[in-house]
Amino acid sequence: QVQLVESGGGLVQPGGSLRLSCAASGSIFSIYVMGWYRQAPGKQRELVAAATVGGSTNYADSVKGRFTISRDNAKNTVYLQLNSPKPEDTAVYYCYAHDYGGDYWGQGTQVTVSS
């Protein structure tokens, strides 16, 4: 199975920047999709961004133009660049991956946007 480990979370000021990383390891055959979800207190988990192995991407409307997802297939790693984050972006961010074996989730990393 696949294991996902996130890093890069922390405190960031509005208008600042932050980059999250997620590295996959384990029995990797073909990770078709890697991406990021987030969950704020009192809200359901939502998709932030996703990328396929072929390079197509999808973003939540709320982060379009501010966040960028990228993927390094050779390193089995996905990144999320958070530019100009807003307080409402505060949440636990979860890495996820999908392959033919199923869905996999990271442990989550806290992102707090505050001045």
Side-chain angles (χ1 to χ4, degrees), residues 14-27:
S17 64
L18 195 69
R19 189 177 77 158
L20 307 181
S21 300
C22 174
S25 62
S27 300

Side-chain angles (χ1 to χ4, degrees), residues 7 13 17 21 23 28 31 35 44-46 52 59 64 70 87-89 96 99 104-105 112 115:
S7 62
Q13 293 184 331
S17 64
S21 300
I28 302 172
I31 302 180
Q44 66 180 16
R45 188 173 298 187
E46 64 177 351
T52 69
Y59 295 91
K64 286 181 179 178
S70 60
E88 50 263 46
D89 294 319
Y96 92 96
D99 68 4
Y104 308 94
W105 294 91
T112 301
S115 60

Side-chain angles (χ1 to χ4, degrees), residues 4-7 92-95 105-109:
L4 305 175
V5 179
E6 303 105 328
S7 62
V92 177
Y93 284 70
Y94 296 90
C95 180
W105 294 91
Q107 82 284 356
T109 185

Side-chain angles (χ1 to χ4, degrees), residues 55-107:
S56 64
T57 58
N58 187 44
Y59 295 91
D61 288 341
S62 61
V63 307
K64 286 181 179 178
R66 299 187 298 116
F67 294 5
T68 302
I69 189 169
S70 60
R71 181 172 174 175
D72 187 335
N73 292 326
K75 296 182 179 179
N76 294 313
T77 300
V78 66
Y79 306 92
L80 186 69
Q81 180 71 36
L82 288 69
N83 293 330
S84 299
K86 305 174 182 178
E88 50 263 46
D89 294 319
T90 296
V92 177
Y93 284 70
Y94 296 90
C95 180
Y96 92 96
H98 173 77
D99 68 4
Y100 294 110
D103 297 322
Y104 308 94
W105 294 91
Q107 82 284 356

